[in-house]
Amino acid sequence: MARPLSRRTLLRSAILAAAVPGAGAAVAPAASAATLPPPASWALQPFALKDVALGTGIFATKRKLMLDHARGYDVNRLLQVFRANAGLSTLGAVAPGGWEGLDGEANGNLRGHYTGHFLTMLAQAYASTGEQTFADRIATVVGALTDVRTALRTDPKMLAVTGKWGGALELVRGSHQYVDLPAGVLNGASAITLSVWVRPTHDANWQRVFDFGNNTTRYMYLASRNASGVPRFAITTGGAGGEQGLNGTAALPLNQWSHLAVTLSGTTGTLYVNGTAVATNTAMTLTPATLGTLTNNWLGRSNYSGDPLYAGCYDEFNVWSRVLTQAEITSLQSTEAKLSSPGLGNLASYYFQATTGGTFPDASGRGLTATLKRTWGGPSHPGFLAAYPETQFILLESMTGSDYTKVWAPYYTAHKILRGLLDAYTATDDARALDLASGMGDWMHSRLSVLSEATLQRMWGLFSSGEFGGIVEAIVDLHAFTGKAEHLALAKLFDLDSLIDACAANTDTLDGLHANQHIPIFTGLLRLYDATGETRYLTAAKNFWGMVVPHRMYGIGGTSTGEFWKARDSIAGTISATNAETCCAYNLLKLSRTLFFHEQTPAYMDYYERTLFNQVLGSKQDTADAEKPLVTYFIGLTPGHVRDYTPKQGTTCCEGTGMESATKYQDSVYFKAADGSALYVNLYSPSTLTWTEKGVTVTQTTSYPAEQGTTLTFGGSGASFGLRLRVPSWATAGFQVTVNGGAVSGTPVAGSYFTVSRAWKSGDVVRVTVPFRLRVEKALDDPSLQTLFYGPVNLVARNSSTSYLPFGLYANAALSGDLLPTLTPVSGKSLHYTLNGTEFAPFSEGTEDPTHAYFRRSEPKAVFGTVDSGVANPAKPDGTTLLDEVWAAAPFASKAALVARVRTVVDAWVAAGLLASADGVKVVSTADAASYVA
C-alpha cells in the first residue's frame, strides 16, 4: 500500500510543480546579472554596500582594522585544507590552526568553514571599497576551489615533488591517500629486505611507512614514529601483544630525506637508518612466509583504523627476497637503486616518478602495479565541495547522538562555503563561483531528497552534529539565481518541524537549546516564506524573536550562556564568563533586519542599534593584526571580565562572523520603501548614500554617539519621498527635526519613526537632535542587578574587582530623570565618566581592561540634589525603594513638581508602615531644600 503523502511531501511536490514552467522547458535564472533581486514580499529593501559609503567615525576605524587583515592574510593558508583533502599541492601553506586544520579541536572536523567566512568578508570589502586587491583574492579562492572540486571528482593523481633521486610522491596530510600494492608483493618470502626513502612532514606517532596485513592480528609494518617518536618495525600473528619488533634510537627529522631499511631472515631482524644499523633482534621467529598471502598491502596506511595516515614523501621503495649486506645497504645511500650494487628489488620496485596519474609501475619485472587510493573511496559525487570527505555527511545520516570528534556540523560548514561563494558571485560576477554554489545545491539535494522525513528530523535535531546554520537562507538565495526547482525543494528539506510548529504556536521551548544552532534557522524560514508564501514560517520567526528579545537578552544585545539558552527571563541567574556568544549577536541582527523588511516594527531596529553599537563593536579589539581578526567568542559578563580576542587559537565561528560584521557595518543605515515612496534612516552613523533610482545623495555627518544627533545633507533635486527618521525607544524627550533651519511640525514618539515628506532639493539640510540621558536597565530576575546606558551606549565600569560593584545613582539626579549629573565626566575622553573613583567607558571600546557590564544598585540613604536627609532609603519586599518610586515619575516640570511627588510617595509609605512619620518629614524637607539640575 502506498504511504500517505506527508505535509512536506505535498508541499515539496507543489514547489517543484510551481517552479517548472513546463515539461522540458528551460528555467531562466531570476536575475541575469550577479544581483540578488529583493523578494516581492519585502515592504522595504536594503541598499547595496557600494551605495553606502562610511564616513569618519568608530565604524570606519574598526572596519579599517579588518580590511587590513583581509589584505594581509595569506589566502593560501585558508585553501590548504581544501587542497589537502583533494590531494593537491598545498603550495607550502600552513593551515590557520584552531578549528581549521587537523590539529585543532575535534581533529579539525569543522575545517573549511572559515574559508567561507573569509570569502564573504572579501566580497563585502570589495563591494564597499572597489579595491581590486579584494577582487583578486576572491578570484584566487574561487579558482582554487574550482580545481579542488575537479580533483575530488576524479581518482587521486600522484602529487610529484622533488625527490632524493628525481621525482617523488607526496602524500599530503589530510588527503586521506595511500598506496595500495598487489597482494603478492611479499611473495611468501622467508628472507626479505625492504628499503625506502622517506621525507616525513608531520610528527604524529604511528604513521605507517608500510603495513602489510589482514587486520589488527596478522601484519608486518614499519612506522616512521612509534609511541616514543622513533622508527619501529614489527611483525606479528597475534596482534599488538605478539609483536616481534625493532625500535630506532632517534626521531627522523621532518622535511628531510631519510633512508630506512629492514632485513629479516631466520631469527634475525635488523633496522637501518641512513645506512646505519640502529636495532637488531636475534629472537625473531616470524617472516613474510609465516604471514602468508595478505589482504592489505599498503604504503602510508595502517591496519589500525585509528592510526594517522603517513604524511610525507616517498622515493624508491624496493623489496628483495634476500637479506642485503651492510655494504649493499650502504651503497643505497649514495646511489639510486638501479645503479647500486644490489640493483632493483626483485619482489617489487617503485620509482614513483614514472607516472602523472594514480598508478605506479613495478620495475622489478613482476608487473605488480600499485595504485594511489583514498581511504574514503571516491571519486566524490557531482557537485561535492568540502575540506573533508563526504564521510561526515554520510555518517550523520545514521547518527542517533552527537559526537563532534567524528561529525561536527557538516551542513553548517557547507553553509559557510555556499554563502561565501554566493557573496563572491554577487561581488565580482565570477560565474565559477555560482557554478560551484549551484553544484553544492545539486549535490545536497541528491543526498537529502532520498532520506525519509524521520531521518531528516532526527538529523536536524542533533546538537552540534546536525547544526546547519543559515543554510536555508543561502539556498533560497541560490534558487533566486539559478531558478532550479531542486534548489527550492532542497531548502524545505531542512525544516525542523518540532521547532517551527512550537514557535508558530508561540510556545516557548527554547530552554536548553543551543542558541546559535537555532537563531539562523529563522532567517532561513523568512526567506522560505518569501519563496513559498507559507505563513507559518513568518509567524514562527516573529514569535521566536519575541522569545529571545528581551526575555533572553543581556543589556549589550547578546544572548546565550555557554552557547545555550536557559530559562526565560533568567538574566542575573545566568551571568557567567561565557555569555553572549558573538555569533548569536550576528545572527540576531540579521534576523531583526529581515523581519523589518516584512513588518516595520521599530523594536527590530531598536534592537539592531543596541547590539551593533555595543556587543558587535565591542567584540572587535582595537588593535591591528595581520594574522588574527581579533574578535571575541564569548563576552563574559561576570565582574572584572577581560575579553579574549583570540579564542581557541582563532578561526572560530565567531571570528568568522566577526570578520563579516566588520565589513558590512553600513548595511542597515538606510532602507528604501519597495515602491520608492520613503527613505528610512535607521541608524545615525556618518555615511553617504547614493540612491541612484531617485538621483539623490544623502550625506550624514555626525560623530554619533559622541554627538547627540546628526545632520543629513541632500544632493540632487526633484525627488519626492518621505524621510523616515528613527526615534529610539530610549529618546523619551527632546527629539527634534529641522529642515534648512526651520522646525518640522509634529510630535516625535519614542520607539517610532518621524516622517518628513517633501520634494528634496540639492543643498537641503536636515538636522536631527536626539538628546541622551543616563538610565539603567534592570535584570528581569533581579532588579538590583543593573546595567548602565547613556543613549544607545552601554557604559561599563573598568575595575579589576571580581565582585559586583555597588553604585548609587540618585544622588544628583536631574529633574528630567537623567542620572548623568551623579557621574563626573573625564576630561578629553568622550563618553567616559567616573563614579566613586571607578571609570565608566563605552562597551564598544575593544580593550583588554577588566570590565563590569552589570553592577549592584545601592541607594542606602534618601539623598536629593547631593543633600543627604540622614534617613535610610526604605524598600518594599520586592526590592523597590522609596527613591525608585519617586523617580519613576520623572521627568518633572519643576522642582515643585518633584517635591510634590516626594510628598505623595512619603505619605503613602508612612501610611503603609514602611517609613516613620518623622523620617518622612526629613525626606520631604531635604527634597525641598536641595537644588537640582534641570
Side-chain angles (χ1 to χ4, degrees):
M1 180 182 291
R3 186 180 65 166
L5 293 176
S6 68
R7 174 179 59 190
R8 173 180 284 106
T9 305
L10 286 168
L11 184 57
R12 192 183 310 165
S13 301
I15 290 171
L16 288 167
V20 180
V27 180
S32 59
T35 301
L36 190 65
S41 57
W42 287 6
L44 298 183
Q45 297 174 359
F47 289 94
L49 291 178
K50 67 181 178 61
D51 295 333
V52 184
L54 284 180
T56 301
I58 186 172
F59 290 109
T61 299
K62 294 261 189 181
R63 185 182 70 170
K64 181 182 184 302
L65 293 171
M66 196 62 79
L67 291 178
D68 288 345
H69 173 68
R71 294 183 188 99
Y73 194 82
D74 181 4
V75 293
N76 285 307
R77 295 188 62 190
L78 302 169
L79 294 166
Q80 195 270 355
V81 291
F82 285 91
R83 287 170 167 151
N85 184 53
L88 301 175
S89 172
T90 60
L91 307 182
V94 178
W99 287 2
E100 288 291 325
L102 294 171
D103 298 315
E105 191 169 351
N107 306 310
N109 280 346
L110 211 65
R111 60 192 182 276
H113 82 112
Y114 200 69
T115 303
H117 285 297
F118 205 94
L119 200 51
T120 291
M121 174 178 66
L122 291 174
Q124 292 175 171
Y126 181 59
S128 295
T129 68
E131 187 177 322
Q132 187 62 34
T133 297
F134 300 125
D136 293 343
R137 308 193 109 212
I138 290 170
T140 297
V141 175
V142 171
L145 294 181
T146 301
D147 293 341
V148 164
R149 187 179 69 175
T150 299
L152 289 171
R153 281 291 297 135
T154 61
D155 289 323
K157 294 180 174 59
M158 173 180 169
L159 177 58
V161 295
T162 301
K164 180 67 178 177
W165 306 116
L169 166 69
E170 181 176 8
L171 298 181
V172 176
R173 185 164 181 259
S175 68
H176 307 275
Q177 292 182 358
Y178 65 100
V179 178
D180 186 42
L181 306 181
V185 64
L186 299 180
N187 203 34
S190 57
I192 197 166
T193 298
L194 303 103
S195 164
V196 63
W197 283 97
V198 293
R199 191 180 73 188
T201 56
H202 193 259
D203 60 359
N205 293 339
W206 297 118
Q207 297 177 77
R208 299 295 201 267
V209 174
F210 61 74
D211 195 337
F212 305 115
N214 286 341
N215 43 42
T216 56
T217 300
R218 179 180 294 266
Y219 54 78
M220 180 180 78
Y221 71 77
L222 174 62
S224 59
R225 294 173 63 91
N226 64 3
S228 300
V230 298
R232 173 175 171 79
F233 170 82
I235 184 170
T236 182
T237 56
E243 288 185 0
Q244 298 174 8
L246 299 161
N247 291 320
T249 56
L252 298 181
L254 296 181
N255 302 307
Q256 294 183 30
W257 285 104
S258 297
H259 184 260
L260 300 175
V262 176
T263 62
L264 182 62
S265 179
T267 62
T268 301
T270 303
L271 172 65
Y272 294 86
V273 177
N274 293 323
T276 300
V278 296
T280 299
N281 185 342
T282 59
M284 303 185 74
T285 60
L286 301 175
T287 65
T290 312
L291 298 178
T293 301
L294 301 171
T295 305
N296 305 323
N297 300 277
W298 296 329
L299 303 184
R301 182 178 180 181
S302 171
N303 276 286
Y304 286 85
S305 61
D307 287 341
L309 295 177
Y310 173 76
C313 305
Y314 284 95
D315 198 354
E316 284 204 335
F317 178 71
N318 284 279
V319 185
W320 292 268
S321 60
R322 64 184 181 88
V323 172
L324 268 61
T325 66
Q326 171 76 62
E328 287 177 314
I329 290 175
T330 299
S331 73
L332 295 171
Q333 308 309 300
S334 56
T335 308
E336 55 184 316
K338 66 182 180 182
L339 301 177
S340 68
S341 57
L344 299 175
N346 66 312
L347 293 183
S349 180
Y350 302 100
Y351 283 95
F352 298 116
Q353 74 265 35
T355 183
T356 57
T359 58
F360 307 101
D362 171 26
S364 72
R366 298 181 65 214
L368 300 178
T369 301
T371 306
L372 187 64
K373 292 186 176 180
R374 298 185 179 103
T375 59
W376 50 273
S380 67
H381 292 94
F384 174 74
L385 177 63
Y388 44 67
E390 284 185 81
T391 47
Q392 280 216 33
F393 297 89
I394 296 168
L395 184 57
L396 175 62
E397 294 167 8
S398 60
M399 291 179 69
T400 57
S402 281
D403 181 351
Y404 85 143
T405 64
K406 295 178 180 177
V407 176
W408 189 4
Y411 285 97
Y412 174 94
T413 309
H415 163 240
K416 300 308 175 188
I417 299 167
L418 177 61
R419 181 77 268 168
L421 289 168
L422 289 173
D423 291 338
Y425 177 58
T426 57
T428 66
D429 206 10
D430 188 333
R432 297 175 302 172
L434 181 60
D435 181 61
L436 290 169
S438 183
M440 290 183 71
D442 296 343
W443 170 78
M444 285 187 281
H445 182 263
S446 70
R447 285 219 68 86
L448 297 177
S449 62
V450 298
L451 299 179
S452 70
E453 190 165 336
T455 298
L456 291 171
Q457 294 300 315
R458 173 174 46 76
M459 285 166 58
W460 308 143
L462 288 174
F463 160 61
S464 183
S465 296
E467 183 175 357
F468 54 78
I471 200 168
V472 175
E473 177 198 19
I475 293 170
V476 177
D477 288 351
L478 173 65
H479 172 260
F481 282 125
T482 67
K484 287 187 177 181
E486 294 83 3
H487 292 165
L488 187 54
L490 170 63
K492 282 285 300 173
L493 296 177
F494 288 90
D495 277 7
L496 179 56
D497 286 333
S498 59
L499 178 69
I500 297 170
D501 292 343
C503 289
N506 207 21
T507 301
D508 189 334
T509 61
L510 303 187
D511 188 7
L513 293 184
H514 182 260
N516 197 53
Q517 181 166 347
H518 296 87
I519 298 170
I521 289 176
F522 291 91
T523 306
L525 295 182
L526 286 173
R527 294 292 287 117
L528 265 178
Y529 166 74
D530 297 332
T532 68
E534 188 173 346
T535 57
R536 76 172 183 133
Y537 291 142
L538 176 62
T539 302
K542 290 192 297 183
N543 290 342
F544 167 79
W545 190 90
M547 294 172 191
V548 179
V549 181
H551 300 289
R552 292 177 173 86
M553 181 194 77
Y554 300 105
I556 57 173
T559 188
S560 78
T561 298
E563 299 192 6
F564 289 82
W565 280 311
K566 304 301 181 183
R568 183 182 178 107
D569 295 330
S570 180
I571 301 300
T574 60
I575 297 293
S576 78
T578 57
N579 291 130
E581 183 186 356
T582 305
C583 275
C584 294
Y586 167 91
N587 281 309
L588 276 173
L589 286 181
K590 180 175 281 192
L591 177 60
S592 301
R593 179 179 192 261
T594 310
L595 282 167
F596 195 70
F597 293 150
H598 292 88
E599 295 183 359
Q600 288 68 64
T601 302
Y604 295 138
M605 295 316 295
D606 273 338
Y607 175 81
Y608 204 98
E609 178 186 64
R610 171 195 297 270
T611 308
L612 180 66
F613 275 81
N614 293 294
Q615 174 160 359
V616 170
L617 281 179
S619 68
K620 172 71 185 87
Q621 189 172 19
D622 298 332
T623 303
D625 194 306
E627 289 298 304
K628 302 290 182 186
L630 299 180
V631 176
T632 59
Y633 191 106
F634 297 117
I635 293 185
L637 299 177
T638 50
H641 179 78
V642 177
R643 294 175 209 167
D644 178 5
Y645 297 98
T646 52
K648 299 176 181 283
Q649 303 176 58
T651 68
T652 65
C653 53
C654 291
E655 285 160 300
T657 54
M659 293 190 299
E660 295 183 34
S661 290
T663 47
K664 66 179 183 73
Y665 287 136
Q666 75 270 38
D667 75 342
S668 298
V669 176
Y670 309 98
F671 296 150
K672 58 187 174 182
D675 61 2
S677 63
L679 175 67
Y680 281 68
V681 182
N682 305 306
L683 301 173
Y684 300 120
S685 175
S687 54
T688 297
L689 165 68
T690 301
W691 192 357
T692 303
E693 299 93 329
K694 292 287 186 179
V696 167
T697 61
V698 180
T699 300
Q700 188 174 172
T701 306
T702 181
S703 58
Y704 187 96
E707 175 185 353
Q708 298 183 24
T710 189
T711 300
L712 296 100
T713 303
F714 284 74
S717 298
S720 296
F721 55 86
L723 182 67
R724 305 210 67 194
L725 303 162
R726 189 174 66 87
V727 186
S729 59
W730 47 262
T732 55
F735 187 97
Q736 296 179 343
V737 180
T738 64
V739 176
N740 299 329
V744 178
S745 61
T747 304
V749 177
S752 71
Y753 279 76
F754 183 77
T755 303
V756 182
S757 296
R758 60 184 277 139
W760 298 97
K761 304 185 303 297
S762 183
D764 281 347
V765 176
V766 176
R767 175 63 192 169
V768 183
T769 301
V770 193
F772 294 3
R773 65 183 182 89
L774 190 70
R775 70 189 191 281
V776 297
E777 290 186 0
K778 302 174 182 178
L780 298 176
D781 50 340
D782 182 355
S784 73
L785 195 67
Q786 302 180 357
T787 187
L788 201 60
F789 277 86
Y790 187 46
V793 178
N794 183 231
L795 295 176
V796 294
R798 290 180 174 169
N799 192 298
S800 60
S801 172
T802 55
S803 299
Y804 286 116
L805 301 174
F807 289 111
L809 298 169
Y810 289 136
N812 198 28
L815 291 175
S816 64
D818 190 352
L819 302 172
L820 187 64
T822 298
L823 277 61
T824 301
V826 177
S827 178
K829 297 176 71 176
S830 177
L831 298 173
H832 284 242
Y833 304 90
T834 60
L835 178 61
N836 299 344
T838 294
E839 182 177 11
F840 282 81
F843 187 96
S844 60
E845 293 185 358
T847 72
E848 293 181 298
D849 294 298
T851 60
H852 293 244
Y854 284 87
F855 63 91
R856 190 68 69 185
R857 188 66 176 271
S858 176
E859 304 283 355
K861 295 291 187 68
V863 180
F864 295 91
T866 70
V867 180
D868 188 349
S869 69
V871 176
N873 180 27
K876 292 180 178 180
D878 66 358
T880 302
T881 70
L882 182 143
L883 290 180
D884 290 335
E885 201 161 299
V886 167
W887 288 104
F892 300 106
S894 63
K895 173 181 174 179
L898 169 60
V899 174
R901 172 65 177 177
V902 172
R903 185 174 289 110
T904 298
V905 172
V906 164
D907 288 347
W909 282 56
V910 170
L914 298 172
L915 181 69
S917 178
D919 286 341
V921 171
K922 292 179 182 178
V923 169
V924 174
S925 64
T926 301
D928 188 43
S931 298
Y932 301 92
V933 177

